[in-house]
Amino acid sequence: MNITRQELLSHFDGLLQPERFKDYGPNGLQVEGRSEIRRIVSGVTASRALIEAAIDARADAVFVHHGLFWRGMDGRITGWLKERIRLLLTHDINLFAYHLPLDAHPQWGNNAQLGQRLGLSGEAAFGEQNLGWIAPADFADAAALSRHVEQVLGRAPVCLAGSGRPIRRVAWCTGGAQGFFEAAIAAGADAFITGEISEPQAHLSRETGVAFIAAGHHATERYGAPACAGHVAARLGLEHCFIEIDNPA
Ligand SMILES: [Zn+2]
């Protein structure tokens, strides 16, 4: 099956509803390629490695969580950014990127998909734009939860154990959501899982007794893009594959 670029954009927009979010960059079609699309490659970040892999896979479109354009960029297309864009344009590949809408989707989003893998059935409940999720849980302590996260994601998290109390409520938000920790504490969480940790969260964990688990920005955000692109591709009869570009961060 083939579909036009515009039809595919409408399907992604219809599913992810970017107009509902205040985001750090443009959601939707970021780089225009050929008008007919048969094969989609999804990935976490529109890095050069992903774009080169998509060229090898003969993709007509690339679908990512982290696109090319962010608030605060100075607008020059030079160096590494020029190279990524040159590769896309030379090979006539469309780039679709959805940031917060892909974190937030209740079924195919990063938070929903991470929760599903961790066996947590929760809902969006706290934090900026209600992006943070919370769910009931039953772990003896933060170390037990951390071992579970390590087993599921295949990567050892950084774990601040908090007070060592049993974990009955787990909050999470994928990626660089360490700034959501206070909102998670206010929402009554015993532990908060995100991708990254910054210096203040270690102190907050010690002082509030709430555990903080940094499980990797990439590791926590690699499920939404393939879930969403795979869902849309299946509905439209398109080909889809996810390409993992490992990232230790
Ligand atoms: Zn991210």
Side-chain angles (χ1 to χ4, degrees), residues 65-66 99 175-176 217 221:
H65 179 49
H66 302 136
H99 184 236
H217 191 134
E221 293 203 319

Side-chain angles (χ1 to χ4, degrees), residues 44-45 65-66 70 99 103 110 174-176 196 217-218 221:
V44 178
T45 299
H65 179 49
H66 302 136
W70 300 98
H99 184 236
D103 288 321
N110 282 322
T174 62
E196 300 184 31
H217 191 134
H218 176 85
E221 293 203 319

Side-chain angles (χ1 to χ4, degrees), residues 128-162:
E128 188 203 330
Q129 300 185 64
N130 220 30
L131 286 163
W133 283 47
I134 196 155
D138 189 14
F139 294 90
D141 54 21
L145 173 61
S146 181
R147 281 193 300 275
H148 174 62
V149 171
E150 177 170 359
Q151 200 181 29
V152 172
L153 299 184
R155 181 184 189 282
V158 174
C159 176
L160 273 294

